[in-house]
Amino acid sequence: MALVHGAGWAESWQQSWDRLEETFMPDREFRIGALLDVVDVLACPTPRVLDLACGTGTITCRLLDRFPAARSIAVDVDPVLLMIASATFADDDRVRITQADLRDPGWVDALPEPQFDAVLTATALHWLPEETVERVYGDLARLVRPGGVVAHVEQMPLAELPRLGAGLAGLERERRAREQADGQATWDAWWDEAARDPALCSAAAQRQAVFETNYPTEEFSPPAQWHVAALSEAGFAEVGVVWRSGTGAVVAAIR
């Protein structure tokens, strides 16, 4: 992927993406920190990490800040986000950027390494239908070494607390509405701006071939119990919720 821009360009877009994501998840940094806590439990000074559905590479950025000797394979399908990630890590030999579509059962063939100590993913798998997430969890069971971990943070409704869960979800919607009323970029506005950037316009056009729209018409956001059951069925030995804030939760699993 040819880069026609410098570090300042990448940093600007990286920060813009982080701000956009934080309008939806004000506790985003805490979520990522919880993922990294799971990696910390491995007590491995040089973890090999798969940053699954990496976006612009925020998790990899935080990973390398906390574990400087880590290595990351950052995987996504989105050409725009991958271009920003490629520019962000252009001079960092600890990171390899890979394009792969989790909707394709053969996506693992695109990976440059066969096994990982940890797989981390944040607020991305809701783009996939239920049967695809189940299959991806099975794929991860073959990619994670014995004793390695998977940690996934996502919106996971509090199904066991219907009144409290609905109330907390309402509070989160109100916070997002206030952020956007204060002038924060909206989802569609961010993608429109990216398409106007000369360095991203070609990738934005390619993106239209990947996604019919900027987001799915129906998202898959089951409660945590669904993820625990699916990861257990995939062959993980110890699975459960290790962090929660409102309707956001981290489910982690040891292989």
Side-chain angles (χ1 to χ4, degrees), residues 43-130:
C44 175
T46 59
R48 296 164 298 166
V49 176
L50 177 61
D51 183 353
L52 191 67
C54 65
T56 62
T58 303
I59 288 177
T60 292
C61 286
R62 307 300 186 266
L63 172 76
L64 297 177
D65 286 343
R66 185 159 166 181
F67 306 100
R71 291 186 293 120
S72 175
I73 305 298
V75 174
D76 208 295
V77 68
D78 193 300
V80 171
L81 301 182
L82 285 173
M83 181 164 282
I84 296 168
S86 295
T88 298
F89 302 107
D91 299 318
D92 195 330
D93 60 8
R94 297 171 296 178
V95 181
R96 297 182 68 175
I97 305 297
T98 302
Q99 186 169 22
D101 190 341
L102 297 179
R103 297 171 297 183
D104 179 355
W107 72 274
V108 295
D109 296 334
L111 298 177
E113 295 191 19
Q115 199 166 61
F116 298 88
D117 298 304
V119 177
L120 306 179
T121 186
T123 322
L125 300 189
H126 65 274
W127 288 62
L128 302 174
E130 178 176 357

Side-chain angles (χ1 to χ4, degrees), residues 194-250:
R196 290 191 295 269
D197 186 322
L200 289 174
C201 60
S202 177
Q206 295 171 30
R207 187 177 193 275
Q208 293 304 311
V210 176
F211 303 107
E212 291 184 3
T213 63
N214 283 343
Y215 43 83
T217 55
E218 185 175 345
E219 298 180 2
F220 177 58
S221 297
Q225 296 94 317
W226 184 92
H227 295 280
V228 170
L231 285 162
S232 298
E233 181 67 24
F236 288 88
E238 183 177 308
V239 189
V241 175
V242 297
W243 180 92
R244 179 178 279 284
S245 175
T247 62
V250 174

Side-chain angles (χ1 to χ4, degrees), residues 16-31:
S16 176
W17 177 255
D18 287 345
R19 287 194 301 271
L20 175 69
E21 291 286 274
E22 285 164 4
T23 65
F24 296 97
M25 296 161 289
D27 59 357
R28 182 171 181 249
E29 291 299 327
F30 292 104
R31 295 178 180 216

Side-chain angles (χ1 to χ4, degrees), residues 19 23 174-186:
R19 287 194 301 271
T23 65
E174 290 173 8
R175 291 192 186 107
R176 288 196 297 271
R178 285 197 299 271
E179 288 283 341
Q180 294 178 1
D182 288 340
Q184 297 292 332
T186 64

